[in-house]
Amino acid sequence: MDTFEAIRTLLAVRNYQDKPVPDESVRRILEAGRLTGSSKNGQPWHFIVVQNRDVLQQLGSLLRSGSYVAQAPLAIVVAIDNTPYAVSDASRAIQSMMLTAWADGLGANWVGFGGLDALKPLLGIPAAVEVFAVLPIGYPRDIITGHGKKRRKALAEVAHREQWGQPFA
Amino acid sequence: MDTFEAIRTLLAVRNYQDKPVPDESVRRILEAGRLTGSSKNGQPWHFIVVQNRDVLQQLGSLLRSGSYVAQAPLAIVVAIDNTPYAVSDASRAIQSMMLTAWADGLGANWVGFGGLDALKPLLGIPAAVEVFAVLPIGYPRDIITGHGKKRRKALAEVAHREQWGQPFA
């Protein structure tokens, strides 16, 4: 899928078909994260690939805002080192991974922010790193039209020309 | 350009040809940022498009680690609202914009982290928002091979299978 087309149409997906994610896609998604740029090339990220059905269900029960992880065939748990840029760096990597999944016909969502360190014992994640996000991934259950479903501010609201307050559009 | 191919080959570019960025690309890059997903759909970002040669030179002289902005035909200054997720959200949008530029044959870099609020008077940016990044963008001056130029940790170092410490690869 064309790069801008993937960015333009990417939607959060929370319902998945009961169908495994091909190994080739899993690997491509991980490579997308791994190859992402980061501040000072710090690469302060860790990706734990979860495909075990029992563990996925436990993840779903632990995640306040992500119970649907239990239904996904795959989740990538993203943990970060304690560095000043890790949140920013990992966010870029997650964007790369979600776009790559989308381009492969898969849907993902970002479950995050708050309470994720509760997953640490389940996955054996050490104290020194922080659990930053969980990305459930699978083939979308619903038909995705991609068009007209995004609620976004108008371009003139977010883009300025030369000076703040001069709308770009 | 294919999505994963763009992600795989994307490099930081700091030398630009003396050639303007087509309006169509400027608009596509901005759209890529605007259409990016954000936590609770907050869209806490602002993009100031700078193409004025004098202003670009002033940006270059103000940016400790980004003097090469002075040579770029275009810079997008990214400012963020004061929200808990703004750093993460804007980082995703920047990744979308850099990928879109790259897919259009352009190169960009992320100048950021520290001292950027010094740009506020020049661009009329209000006190309530923070200057988060400057993205100089232009046609790369040097030939970009894309292959073998990325220094990244091996997949087995960053990807784990089911449990922390079990290498994925």
Side-chain angles (χ1 to χ4, degrees), chain A residues 76-93:
Chain A
I76 297 179
V77 177
V78 180
I80 53 177
D81 296 331
N82 182 15
T83 76
Y85 311 120
V87 165
S88 171
D89 294 336
S91 299
R92 294 163 76 181

Side-chain angles (χ1 to χ4, degrees), chain A residues 1 3 34 41 43 47 49 51 88 91 95-96 122-123 150-151 153 158 160 162-164, chain B residues 1 3 34-35 41 43 47 49 51 88 91 95-96 122-123 150-151 153 158 160 162-164:
Chain A
M1 190 189 292
T3 305
R34 181 180 79 89
N41 201 23
Q43 309 166 64
F47 311 121
V49 179
Q51 292 174 297
S88 171
S91 299
Q95 184 72 358
S96 294
L122 181 62
L123 302 173
K150 289 194 179 185
R151 293 173 295 109
K153 296 174 186 171
V158 295
H160 312 242
E162 300 295 342
Q163 283 278 319
W164 181 278
Chain B
M1 190 188 292
T3 305
R34 180 180 79 90
L35 292 168
N41 201 24
Q43 310 165 64
F47 310 121
V49 179
Q51 292 174 297
S88 171
S91 298
Q95 183 72 358
S96 295
L122 181 63
L123 302 172
K150 289 194 178 185
R151 294 173 294 109
K153 296 175 187 170
V158 295
H160 311 242
E162 299 295 342
Q163 283 277 320
W164 181 277

Side-chain angles (χ1 to χ4, degrees), chain A residues 1-4 6-8 26-28 30-32 34-37 39 41-52 55 79 81 85 87-88 91-92 95-96 98-100 103 110 113 122-126 129 132 150-155 157-164 168-169, chain B residues 1-4 6-8 26-28 30-32 34-37 39 41-52 55 79 81 85 87-88 91-92 95-96 98-100 103 110 113 122-126 129 132 150-155 157-164 168-169:
Chain A
M1 190 189 292
D2 170 73
T3 305
F4 177 67
I7 291 165
R8 190 179 71 78
V26 177
R27 188 167 291 267
R28 192 158 31 233
L30 292 170
E31 283 290 271
R34 181 180 79 89
L35 292 168
T36 296
S39 186
N41 201 23
Q43 309 166 64
W45 43 55
H46 308 271
F47 311 121
I48 301 114
V49 179
V50 178
Q51 292 174 297
N52 180 293
V55 179
D81 296 331
Y85 311 120
V87 165
S88 171
S91 299
R92 294 163 76 181
Q95 184 72 358
S96 294
M98 290 182 68
L99 287 168
T100 298
W110 176 321
F113 299 114
L122 181 62
L123 302 173
I125 298 173
V129 301
F132 180 59
K150 289 194 179 185
R151 293 173 295 109
R152 294 287 188 276
K153 296 174 186 171
L155 189 61
E157 277 183 79
V158 295
H160 312 242
R161 194 186 286 279
E162 300 295 342
Q163 283 278 319
W164 181 278
F168 178 83
Chain B
M1 190 188 292
D2 171 74
T3 305
F4 177 67
I7 291 166
R8 189 180 72 78
V26 177
R27 189 167 290 268
R28 192 158 30 233
L30 292 170
E31 283 289 272
R34 180 180 79 90
L35 292 168
T36 296
S39 185
N41 201 24
Q43 310 165 64
W45 43 54
H46 308 271
F47 310 121
I48 300 113
V49 179
V50 179
Q51 292 174 297
N52 181 293
V55 179
D81 296 332
Y85 311 121
V87 165
S88 171
S91 298
R92 296 163 76 179
Q95 183 72 358
S96 295
M98 290 183 68
L99 287 168
T100 298
W110 176 322
F113 298 113
L122 181 63
L123 302 172
I125 297 173
V129 300
F132 179 60
K150 289 194 178 185
R151 294 173 294 109
R152 294 286 189 275
K153 296 175 187 170
L155 189 61
E157 277 183 79
V158 295
H160 311 242
R161 196 187 285 278
E162 299 295 342
Q163 283 277 320
W164 181 277
F168 179 82

